Amino acid sequence: MKPQILAALLLLVTAFSASAAAERDIAVANKALGRGMNFGNALEAPKEGDWGVKIEPEFFAKIKQAGFDHVRVPIKWPSHAAKEAPYTIDPEFFQRIDQLLEQAQQNQLAFVLDMHH
């Protein structure tokens, strides 16, 4: 067999092995998250609450009590960034994210931060 063909075959086998391993890792991670609740439309809006969803502190305890294991928070970062370079994210918005992370942690909930849009 020519060295180039052998190298291509080895590369192909390695790629498939890596892909299969990554899929297993993702499946394991997904299973570890357990059941989740989604906070869509809260932090994707230009301002939290504009689209009818505002994340309240008591939600986290209720979600945990209902048997969920994690919360997913999709965020549309451009809604919270300066319109001109260097497109800085509003520091108050980062504080809000920190609040939500702390509330999830206090209620033993994993947190999926979805960098949406």
PDB file of all heavy atoms in Angstrom, residues 1-41:
ATOM      1  N   MET A   1       0.856  -1.174   0.000  1.00  0.00           N
ATOM      2  CA  MET A   1       0.000   0.000   0.000  1.00  0.00           C
ATOM      3  C   MET A   1       0.903   1.238   0.000  1.00  0.00           C
ATOM      4  O   MET A   1       1.886   1.306   0.713  1.00  0.00           O
ATOM      5  CB  MET A   1      -0.892  -0.027   1.245  1.00  0.00           C
ATOM      6  CG  MET A   1      -1.884   1.092   1.266  1.00  0.00           C
ATOM      7  SD  MET A   1      -3.072   1.017   2.636  1.00  0.00           S
ATOM      8  CE  MET A   1      -4.010  -0.429   2.231  1.00  0.00           C
ATOM      9  N   LYS A   2       0.519   2.231  -0.779  1.00  0.00           N
ATOM     10  CA  LYS A   2       1.286   3.469  -0.855  1.00  0.00           C
ATOM     11  C   LYS A   2       1.222   4.210   0.474  1.00  0.00           C
ATOM     12  O   LYS A   2       0.188   4.197   1.148  1.00  0.00           O
ATOM     13  CB  LYS A   2       0.742   4.365  -1.965  1.00  0.00           C
ATOM     14  CG  LYS A   2       0.979   3.826  -3.352  1.00  0.00           C
ATOM     15  CD  LYS A   2       0.493   4.830  -4.372  1.00  0.00           C
ATOM     16  CE  LYS A   2       0.792   4.327  -5.772  1.00  0.00           C
ATOM     17  NZ  LYS A   2       0.395   5.314  -6.767  1.00  0.00           N
ATOM     18  N   PRO A   3       2.325   4.884   0.851  1.00  0.00           N
ATOM     19  CA  PRO A   3       2.340   5.617   2.127  1.00  0.00           C
ATOM     20  C   PRO A   3       1.242   6.680   2.222  1.00  0.00           C
ATOM     21  O   PRO A   3       0.671   6.891   3.291  1.00  0.00           O
ATOM     22  CB  PRO A   3       3.719   6.256   2.161  1.00  0.00           C
ATOM     23  CG  PRO A   3       4.542   5.509   1.182  1.00  0.00           C
ATOM     24  CD  PRO A   3       3.606   4.929   0.185  1.00  0.00           C
ATOM     25  N   GLN A   4       0.924   7.353   1.097  1.00  0.00           N
ATOM     26  CA  GLN A   4      -0.101   8.396   1.130  1.00  0.00           C
ATOM     27  C   GLN A   4      -1.481   7.797   1.432  1.00  0.00           C
ATOM     28  O   GLN A   4      -2.275   8.378   2.163  1.00  0.00           O
ATOM     29  CB  GLN A   4      -0.174   9.155  -0.204  1.00  0.00           C
ATOM     30  CG  GLN A   4       1.079   9.896  -0.573  1.00  0.00           C
ATOM     31  CD  GLN A   4       2.057   9.029  -1.368  1.00  0.00           C
ATOM     32  OE1 GLN A   4       1.975   7.810  -1.392  1.00  0.00           O
ATOM     33  NE2 GLN A   4       3.014   9.677  -2.020  1.00  0.00           N
ATOM     34  N   ILE A   5      -1.767   6.635   0.865  1.00  0.00           N
ATOM     35  CA  ILE A   5      -3.055   5.983   1.092  1.00  0.00           C
ATOM     36  C   ILE A   5      -3.141   5.506   2.536  1.00  0.00           C
ATOM     37  O   ILE A   5      -4.163   5.679   3.209  1.00  0.00           O
ATOM     38  CB  ILE A   5      -3.267   4.815   0.102  1.00  0.00           C
ATOM     39  CG1 ILE A   5      -3.387   5.370  -1.312  1.00  0.00           C
ATOM     40  CG2 ILE A   5      -4.500   4.000   0.474  1.00  0.00           C
ATOM     41  CD1 ILE A   5      -3.453   4.324  -2.390  1.00  0.00           C
ATOM     42  N   LEU A   6      -2.035   4.921   3.023  1.00  0.00           N
ATOM     43  CA  LEU A   6      -2.000   4.459   4.408  1.00  0.00           C
ATOM     44  C   LEU A   6      -2.204   5.637   5.374  1.00  0.00           C
ATOM     45  O   LEU A   6      -2.981   5.547   6.323  1.00  0.00           O
ATOM     46  CB  LEU A   6      -0.662   3.760   4.696  1.00  0.00           C
ATOM     47  CG  LEU A   6      -0.502   3.199   6.105  1.00  0.00           C
ATOM     48  CD1 LEU A   6      -1.605   2.192   6.413  1.00  0.00           C
ATOM     49  CD2 LEU A   6       0.857   2.557   6.250  1.00  0.00           C
ATOM     50  N   ALA A   7      -1.543   6.749   5.108  1.00  0.00           N
ATOM     51  CA  ALA A   7      -1.685   7.935   5.957  1.00  0.00           C
ATOM     52  C   ALA A   7      -3.118   8.445   5.934  1.00  0.00           C
ATOM     53  O   ALA A   7      -3.679   8.818   6.976  1.00  0.00           O
ATOM     54  CB  ALA A   7      -0.721   9.029   5.502  1.00  0.00           C
ATOM     55  N   ALA A   8      -3.737   8.469   4.762  1.00  0.00           N
ATOM     56  CA  ALA A   8      -5.120   8.929   4.640  1.00  0.00           C
ATOM     57  C   ALA A   8      -6.065   8.006   5.407  1.00  0.00           C
ATOM     58  O   ALA A   8      -6.986   8.464   6.091  1.00  0.00           O
ATOM     59  CB  ALA A   8      -5.523   9.014   3.174  1.00  0.00           C
ATOM     60  N   LEU A   9      -5.836   6.696   5.301  1.00  0.00           N
ATOM     61  CA  LEU A   9      -6.665   5.736   6.029  1.00  0.00           C
ATOM     62  C   LEU A   9      -6.515   5.913   7.542  1.00  0.00           C
ATOM     63  O   LEU A   9      -7.504   5.900   8.278  1.00  0.00           O
ATOM     64  CB  LEU A   9      -6.294   4.301   5.647  1.00  0.00           C
ATOM     65  CG  LEU A   9      -6.907   3.788   4.347  1.00  0.00           C
ATOM     66  CD1 LEU A   9      -6.347   2.426   3.997  1.00  0.00           C
ATOM     67  CD2 LEU A   9      -8.415   3.709   4.466  1.00  0.00           C
ATOM     68  N   LEU A  10      -5.278   6.086   7.999  1.00  0.00           N
ATOM     69  CA  LEU A  10      -5.049   6.296   9.426  1.00  0.00           C
ATOM     70  C   LEU A  10      -5.729   7.578   9.905  1.00  0.00           C
ATOM     71  O   LEU A  10      -6.316   7.612  10.989  1.00  0.00           O
ATOM     72  CB  LEU A  10      -3.549   6.345   9.727  1.00  0.00           C
ATOM     73  CG  LEU A  10      -2.832   5.000   9.695  1.00  0.00           C
ATOM     74  CD1 LEU A  10      -1.334   5.200   9.846  1.00  0.00           C
ATOM     75  CD2 LEU A  10      -3.367   4.081  10.770  1.00  0.00           C
ATOM     76  N   LEU A  11      -5.651   8.616   9.097  1.00  0.00           N
ATOM     77  CA  LEU A  11      -6.294   9.882   9.443  1.00  0.00           C
ATOM     78  C   LEU A  11      -7.808   9.708   9.530  1.00  0.00           C
ATOM     79  O   LEU A  11      -8.449  10.205  10.454  1.00  0.00           O
ATOM     80  CB  LEU A  11      -5.930  10.949   8.404  1.00  0.00           C
ATOM     81  CG  LEU A  11      -6.451  12.345   8.664  1.00  0.00           C
ATOM     82  CD1 LEU A  11      -5.898  12.896   9.974  1.00  0.00           C
ATOM     83  CD2 LEU A  11      -6.073  13.264   7.524  1.00  0.00           C
ATOM     84  N   LEU A  12      -8.368   8.984   8.586  1.00  0.00           N
ATOM     85  CA  LEU A  12      -9.810   8.743   8.547  1.00  0.00           C
ATOM     86  C   LEU A  12     -10.253   7.942   9.772  1.00  0.00           C
ATOM     87  O   LEU A  12     -11.230   8.291  10.432  1.00  0.00           O
ATOM     88  CB  LEU A  12     -10.173   8.010   7.255  1.00  0.00           C
ATOM     89  CG  LEU A  12     -11.648   7.861   6.938  1.00  0.00           C
ATOM     90  CD1 LEU A  12     -12.310   9.229   6.818  1.00  0.00           C
ATOM     91  CD2 LEU A  12     -11.819   7.077   5.655  1.00  0.00           C
ATOM     92  N   VAL A  13      -9.522   6.879  10.101  1.00  0.00           N
ATOM     93  CA  VAL A  13      -9.859   6.054  11.263  1.00  0.00           C
ATOM     94  C   VAL A  13      -9.751   6.878  12.538  1.00  0.00           C
ATOM     95  O   VAL A  13     -10.613   6.810  13.412  1.00  0.00           O
ATOM     96  CB  VAL A  13      -8.949   4.802  11.327  1.00  0.00           C
ATOM     97  CG1 VAL A  13      -9.079   4.090  12.664  1.00  0.00           C
ATOM     98  CG2 VAL A  13      -9.286   3.855  10.184  1.00  0.00           C
ATOM     99  N   THR A  14      -8.717   7.682  12.650  1.00  0.00           N
ATOM    100  CA  THR A  14      -8.535   8.532  13.826  1.00  0.00           C
ATOM    101  C   THR A  14      -9.682   9.528  13.944  1.00  0.00           C
ATOM    102  O   THR A  14     -10.209   9.752  15.035  1.00  0.00           O
ATOM    103  CB  THR A  14      -7.186   9.278  13.745  1.00  0.00           C
ATOM    104  OG1 THR A  14      -6.148   8.315  13.630  1.00  0.00           O
ATOM    105  CG2 THR A  14      -6.962  10.144  14.962  1.00  0.00           C
ATOM    106  N   ALA A  15     -10.086  10.113  12.834  1.00  0.00           N
ATOM    107  CA  ALA A  15     -11.183  11.084  12.850  1.00  0.00           C
ATOM    108  C   ALA A  15     -12.478  10.428  13.305  1.00  0.00           C
ATOM    109  O   ALA A  15     -13.215  10.984  14.126  1.00  0.00           O
ATOM    110  CB  ALA A  15     -11.353  11.715  11.471  1.00  0.00           C
ATOM    111  N   PHE A  16     -12.768   9.236  12.787  1.00  0.00           N
ATOM    112  CA  PHE A  16     -13.989   8.534  13.196  1.00  0.00           C
ATOM    113  C   PHE A  16     -13.930   8.149  14.670  1.00  0.00           C
ATOM    114  O   PHE A  16     -14.911   8.267  15.389  1.00  0.00           O
ATOM    115  CB  PHE A  16     -14.243   7.292  12.331  1.00  0.00           C
ATOM    116  CG  PHE A  16     -14.868   7.610  11.008  1.00  0.00           C
ATOM    117  CD1 PHE A  16     -14.236   7.266   9.840  1.00  0.00           C
ATOM    118  CD2 PHE A  16     -16.094   8.266  10.931  1.00  0.00           C
ATOM    119  CE1 PHE A  16     -14.806   7.559   8.606  1.00  0.00           C
ATOM    120  CE2 PHE A  16     -16.671   8.565   9.713  1.00  0.00           C
ATOM    121  CZ  PHE A  16     -16.025   8.210   8.544  1.00  0.00           C
ATOM    122  N   SER A  17     -12.774   7.711  15.143  1.00  0.00           N
ATOM    123  CA  SER A  17     -12.619   7.348  16.553  1.00  0.00           C
ATOM    124  C   SER A  17     -12.814   8.565  17.441  1.00  0.00           C
ATOM    125  O   SER A  17     -13.486   8.498  18.468  1.00  0.00           O
ATOM    126  CB  SER A  17     -11.236   6.743  16.807  1.00  0.00           C
ATOM    127  OG  SER A  17     -11.099   5.544  16.103  1.00  0.00           O
ATOM    128  N   ALA A  18     -12.222   9.689  17.049  1.00  0.00           N
ATOM    129  CA  ALA A  18     -12.359  10.919  17.828  1.00  0.00           C
ATOM    130  C   ALA A  18     -13.811  11.386  17.836  1.00  0.00           C
ATOM    131  O   ALA A  18     -14.326  11.818  18.858  1.00  0.00           O
ATOM    132  CB  ALA A  18     -11.447  12.007  17.273  1.00  0.00           C
ATOM    133  N   SER A  19     -14.470  11.274  16.676  1.00  0.00           N
ATOM    134  CA  SER A  19     -15.866  11.684  16.579  1.00  0.00           C
ATOM    135  C   SER A  19     -16.746  10.815  17.470  1.00  0.00           C
ATOM    136  O   SER A  19     -17.611  11.320  18.182  1.00  0.00           O
ATOM    137  CB  SER A  19     -16.326  11.593  15.129  1.00  0.00           C
ATOM    138  OG  SER A  19     -17.691  11.892  15.033  1.00  0.00           O
ATOM    139  N   ALA A  20     -16.527   9.509  17.446  1.00  0.00           N
ATOM    140  CA  ALA A  20     -17.314   8.603  18.279  1.00  0.00           C
ATOM    141  C   ALA A  20     -17.066   8.877  19.756  1.00  0.00           C
ATOM    142  O   ALA A  20     -17.999   8.885  20.570  1.00  0.00           O
ATOM    143  CB  ALA A  20     -16.975   7.151  17.942  1.00  0.00           C
ATOM    144  N   ALA A  21     -15.811   9.143  20.125  1.00  0.00           N
ATOM    145  CA  ALA A  21     -15.488   9.448  21.515  1.00  0.00           C
ATOM    146  C   ALA A  21     -16.154  10.745  21.946  1.00  0.00           C
ATOM    147  O   ALA A  21     -16.687  10.838  23.061  1.00  0.00           O
ATOM    148  CB  ALA A  21     -13.978   9.535  21.699  1.00  0.00           C
ATOM    149  N   ALA A  22     -16.136  11.752  21.082  1.00  0.00           N
ATOM    150  CA  ALA A  22     -16.767  13.031  21.398  1.00  0.00           C
ATOM    151  C   ALA A  22     -18.268  12.850  21.590  1.00  0.00           C
ATOM    152  O   ALA A  22     -18.860  13.427  22.503  1.00  0.00           O
ATOM    153  CB  ALA A  22     -16.486  14.061  20.306  1.00  0.00           C
ATOM    154  N   GLU A  23     -18.896  12.048  20.731  1.00  0.00           N
ATOM    155  CA  GLU A  23     -20.330  11.793  20.865  1.00  0.00           C
ATOM    156  C   GLU A  23     -20.637  11.094  22.183  1.00  0.00           C
ATOM    157  O   GLU A  23     -21.620  11.416  22.839  1.00  0.00           O
ATOM    158  CB  GLU A  23     -20.837  10.958  19.690  1.00  0.00           C
ATOM    159  CG  GLU A  23     -20.956  11.747  18.408  1.00  0.00           C
ATOM    160  CD  GLU A  23     -21.465  10.916  17.248  1.00  0.00           C
ATOM    161  OE1 GLU A  23     -22.223   9.949  17.478  1.00  0.00           O
ATOM    162  OE2 GLU A  23     -21.096  11.232  16.114  1.00  0.00           O
ATOM    163  N   ARG A  24     -19.787  10.141  22.576  1.00  0.00           N
ATOM    164  CA  ARG A  24     -19.987   9.467  23.863  1.00  0.00           C
ATOM    165  C   ARG A  24     -19.839  10.466  25.003  1.00  0.00           C
ATOM    166  O   ARG A  24     -20.622  10.459  25.943  1.00  0.00           O
ATOM    167  CB  ARG A  24     -18.984   8.318  24.029  1.00  0.00           C
ATOM    168  CG  ARG A  24     -19.368   7.055  23.273  1.00  0.00           C
ATOM    169  CD  ARG A  24     -18.499   5.886  23.701  1.00  0.00           C
ATOM    170  NE  ARG A  24     -17.075   6.142  23.574  1.00  0.00           N
ATOM    171  CZ  ARG A  24     -16.346   5.964  22.480  1.00  0.00           C
ATOM    172  NH1 ARG A  24     -16.911   5.530  21.382  1.00  0.00           N
ATOM    173  NH2 ARG A  24     -15.048   6.216  22.480  1.00  0.00           N
ATOM    174  N   ASP A  25     -18.818  11.332  24.924  1.00  0.00           N
ATOM    175  CA  ASP A  25     -18.596  12.333  25.972  1.00  0.00           C
ATOM    176  C   ASP A  25     -19.783  13.279  26.078  1.00  0.00           C
ATOM    177  O   ASP A  25     -20.201  13.627  27.179  1.00  0.00           O
ATOM    178  CB  ASP A  25     -17.320  13.127  25.705  1.00  0.00           C
ATOM    179  CG  ASP A  25     -16.058  12.296  25.894  1.00  0.00           C
ATOM    180  OD1 ASP A  25     -16.140  11.195  26.480  1.00  0.00           O
ATOM    181  OD2 ASP A  25     -15.000  12.739  25.440  1.00  0.00           O
ATOM    182  N   ILE A  26     -20.322  13.695  24.934  1.00  0.00           N
ATOM    183  CA  ILE A  26     -21.467  14.595  24.933  1.00  0.00           C
ATOM    184  C   ILE A  26     -22.686  13.900  25.519  1.00  0.00           C
ATOM    185  O   ILE A  26     -23.417  14.476  26.323  1.00  0.00           O
ATOM    186  CB  ILE A  26     -21.749  15.110  23.500  1.00  0.00           C
ATOM    187  CG1 ILE A  26     -20.637  16.065  23.080  1.00  0.00           C
ATOM    188  CG2 ILE A  26     -23.107  15.783  23.423  1.00  0.00           C
ATOM    189  CD1 ILE A  26     -20.639  16.411  21.611  1.00  0.00           C
ATOM    190  N   ALA A  27     -22.883  12.637  25.154  1.00  0.00           N
ATOM    191  CA  ALA A  27     -24.015  11.880  25.690  1.00  0.00           C
ATOM    192  C   ALA A  27     -23.887  11.713  27.202  1.00  0.00           C
ATOM    193  O   ALA A  27     -24.873  11.856  27.936  1.00  0.00           O
ATOM    194  CB  ALA A  27     -24.117  10.517  25.009  1.00  0.00           C
ATOM    195  N   VAL A  28     -22.686  11.448  27.678  1.00  0.00           N
ATOM    196  CA  VAL A  28     -22.456  11.306  29.121  1.00  0.00           C
ATOM    197  C   VAL A  28     -22.729  12.632  29.822  1.00  0.00           C
ATOM    198  O   VAL A  28     -23.394  12.672  30.860  1.00  0.00           O
ATOM    199  CB  VAL A  28     -21.012  10.806  29.394  1.00  0.00           C
ATOM    200  CG1 VAL A  28     -20.663  10.913  30.867  1.00  0.00           C
ATOM    201  CG2 VAL A  28     -20.851   9.376  28.913  1.00  0.00           C
ATOM    202  N   ALA A  29     -22.214  13.727  29.263  1.00  0.00           N
ATOM    203  CA  ALA A  29     -22.435  15.049  29.856  1.00  0.00           C
ATOM    204  C   ALA A  29     -23.922  15.397  29.867  1.00  0.00           C
ATOM    205  O   ALA A  29     -24.437  15.922  30.861  1.00  0.00           O
ATOM    206  CB  ALA A  29     -21.640  16.114  29.098  1.00  0.00           C
ATOM    207  N   ASN A  30     -24.605  15.095  28.772  1.00  0.00           N
ATOM    208  CA  ASN A  30     -26.028  15.385  28.680  1.00  0.00           C
ATOM    209  C   ASN A  30     -26.808  14.589  29.722  1.00  0.00           C
ATOM    210  O   ASN A  30     -27.682  15.132  30.402  1.00  0.00           O
ATOM    211  CB  ASN A  30     -26.540  15.072  27.274  1.00  0.00           C
ATOM    212  CG  ASN A  30     -27.965  15.500  27.082  1.00  0.00           C
ATOM    213  OD1 ASN A  30     -28.351  16.598  27.444  1.00  0.00           O
ATOM    214  ND2 ASN A  30     -28.768  14.610  26.522  1.00  0.00           N
ATOM    215  N   LYS A  31     -26.469  13.323  29.865  1.00  0.00           N
ATOM    216  CA  LYS A  31     -27.156  12.488  30.856  1.00  0.00           C
ATOM    217  C   LYS A  31     -26.887  13.008  32.271  1.00  0.00           C
ATOM    218  O   LYS A  31     -27.776  13.000  33.120  1.00  0.00           O
ATOM    219  CB  LYS A  31     -26.712  11.043  30.717  1.00  0.00           C
ATOM    220  CG  LYS A  31     -27.526  10.097  31.539  1.00  0.00           C
ATOM    221  CD  LYS A  31     -27.235   8.649  31.208  1.00  0.00           C
ATOM    222  CE  LYS A  31     -28.183   7.765  31.994  1.00  0.00           C
ATOM    223  NZ  LYS A  31     -28.180   6.412  31.538  1.00  0.00           N
ATOM    224  N   ALA A  32     -25.666  13.472  32.520  1.00  0.00           N
ATOM    225  CA  ALA A  32     -25.308  13.991  33.847  1.00  0.00           C
ATOM    226  C   ALA A  32     -26.106  15.248  34.195  1.00  0.00           C
ATOM    227  O   ALA A  32     -26.373  15.508  35.370  1.00  0.00           O
ATOM    228  CB  ALA A  32     -23.814  14.279  33.919  1.00  0.00           C
ATOM    229  N   LEU A  33     -26.499  16.020  33.187  1.00  0.00           N
ATOM    230  CA  LEU A  33     -27.300  17.224  33.447  1.00  0.00           C
ATOM    231  C   LEU A  33     -28.678  16.870  33.990  1.00  0.00           C
ATOM    232  O   LEU A  33     -29.269  17.642  34.736  1.00  0.00           O
ATOM    233  CB  LEU A  33     -27.462  18.054  32.171  1.00  0.00           C
ATOM    234  CG  LEU A  33     -26.311  18.949  31.796  1.00  0.00           C
ATOM    235  CD1 LEU A  33     -26.575  19.579  30.435  1.00  0.00           C
ATOM    236  CD2 LEU A  33     -26.071  20.018  32.841  1.00  0.00           C
ATOM    237  N   GLY A  34     -29.197  15.737  33.596  1.00  0.00           N
ATOM    238  CA  GLY A  34     -30.521  15.340  34.058  1.00  0.00           C
ATOM    239  C   GLY A  34     -31.616  16.187  33.425  1.00  0.00           C
ATOM    240  O   GLY A  34     -31.454  16.743  32.340  1.00  0.00           O
ATOM    241  N   ARG A  35     -32.728  16.296  34.137  1.00  0.00           N
ATOM    242  CA  ARG A  35     -33.874  17.060  33.632  1.00  0.00           C
ATOM    243  C   ARG A  35     -33.611  18.548  33.793  1.00  0.00           C
ATOM    244  O   ARG A  35     -33.072  18.984  34.798  1.00  0.00           O
ATOM    245  CB  ARG A  35     -35.131  16.688  34.420  1.00  0.00           C
ATOM    246  CG  ARG A  35     -35.550  15.244  34.237  1.00  0.00           C
ATOM    247  CD  ARG A  35     -36.742  14.884  35.093  1.00  0.00           C
ATOM    248  NE  ARG A  35     -37.878  15.704  34.711  1.00  0.00           N
ATOM    249  CZ  ARG A  35     -38.836  16.066  35.564  1.00  0.00           C
ATOM    250  NH1 ARG A  35     -38.781  15.726  36.820  1.00  0.00           N
ATOM    251  NH2 ARG A  35     -39.845  16.805  35.143  1.00  0.00           N
ATOM    252  N   GLY A  36     -34.044  19.318  32.805  1.00  0.00           N
ATOM    253  CA  GLY A  36     -33.774  20.739  32.849  1.00  0.00           C
ATOM    254  C   GLY A  36     -34.977  21.613  32.548  1.00  0.00           C
ATOM    255  O   GLY A  36     -35.950  21.173  31.946  1.00  0.00           O
ATOM    256  N   MET A  37     -34.866  22.846  32.988  1.00  0.00           N
ATOM    257  CA  MET A  37     -35.871  23.869  32.731  1.00  0.00           C
ATOM    258  C   MET A  37     -35.204  24.985  31.932  1.00  0.00           C
ATOM    259  O   MET A  37     -34.071  25.363  32.216  1.00  0.00           O
ATOM    260  CB  MET A  37     -36.402  24.409  34.060  1.00  0.00           C
ATOM    261  CG  MET A  37     -37.435  25.490  33.940  1.00  0.00           C
ATOM    262  SD  MET A  37     -38.995  24.972  33.222  1.00  0.00           S
ATOM    263  CE  MET A  37     -39.637  23.919  34.488  1.00  0.00           C
ATOM    264  N   ASN A  38     -35.923  25.510  30.964  1.00  0.00           N
ATOM    265  CA  ASN A  38     -35.389  26.532  30.073  1.00  0.00           C
ATOM    266  C   ASN A  38     -35.940  27.912  30.428  1.00  0.00           C
ATOM    267  O   ASN A  38     -37.143  28.066  30.635  1.00  0.00           O
ATOM    268  CB  ASN A  38     -35.784  26.170  28.626  1.00  0.00           C
ATOM    269  CG  ASN A  38     -35.224  27.122  27.622  1.00  0.00           C
ATOM    270  OD1 ASN A  38     -34.091  27.557  27.721  1.00  0.00           O
ATOM    271  ND2 ASN A  38     -36.024  27.458  26.633  1.00  0.00           N
ATOM    272  N   PHE A  39     -35.053  28.899  30.500  1.00  0.00           N
ATOM    273  CA  PHE A  39     -35.458  30.282  30.746  1.00  0.00           C
ATOM    274  C   PHE A  39     -35.400  31.095  29.451  1.00  0.00           C
ATOM    275  O   PHE A  39     -34.894  32.216  29.428  1.00  0.00           O
ATOM    276  CB  PHE A  39     -34.554  30.944  31.791  1.00  0.00           C
ATOM    277  CG  PHE A  39     -34.845  30.539  33.211  1.00  0.00           C
ATOM    278  CD1 PHE A  39     -33.819  30.175  34.051  1.00  0.00           C
ATOM    279  CD2 PHE A  39     -36.131  30.548  33.708  1.00  0.00           C
ATOM    280  CE1 PHE A  39     -34.064  29.825  35.369  1.00  0.00           C
ATOM    281  CE2 PHE A  39     -36.396  30.196  35.021  1.00  0.00           C
ATOM    282  CZ  PHE A  39     -35.362  29.829  35.855  1.00  0.00           C
ATOM    283  N   GLY A  40     -35.900  30.542  28.368  1.00  0.00           N
ATOM    284  CA  GLY A  40     -35.893  31.237  27.092  1.00  0.00           C
ATOM    285  C   GLY A  40     -36.704  32.528  27.139  1.00  0.00           C
ATOM    286  O   GLY A  40     -37.668  32.657  27.885  1.00  0.00           O
ATOM    287  N   ASN A  41     -36.272  33.495  26.341  1.00  0.00           N
ATOM    288  CA  ASN A  41     -36.908  34.799  26.164  1.00  0.00           C
ATOM    289  C   ASN A  41     -36.697  35.770  27.326  1.00  0.00           C
ATOM    290  O   ASN A  41     -37.210  36.878  27.289  1.00  0.00           O
ATOM    291  CB  ASN A  41     -38.403  34.684  25.860  1.00  0.00           C
ATOM    292  CG  ASN A  41     -38.647  34.090  24.500  1.00  0.00           C
ATOM    293  OD1 ASN A  41     -37.824  34.183  23.606  1.00  0.00           O
ATOM    294  ND2 ASN A  41     -39.785  33.432  24.338  1.00  0.00           N
TER     295      ASN A  41
END
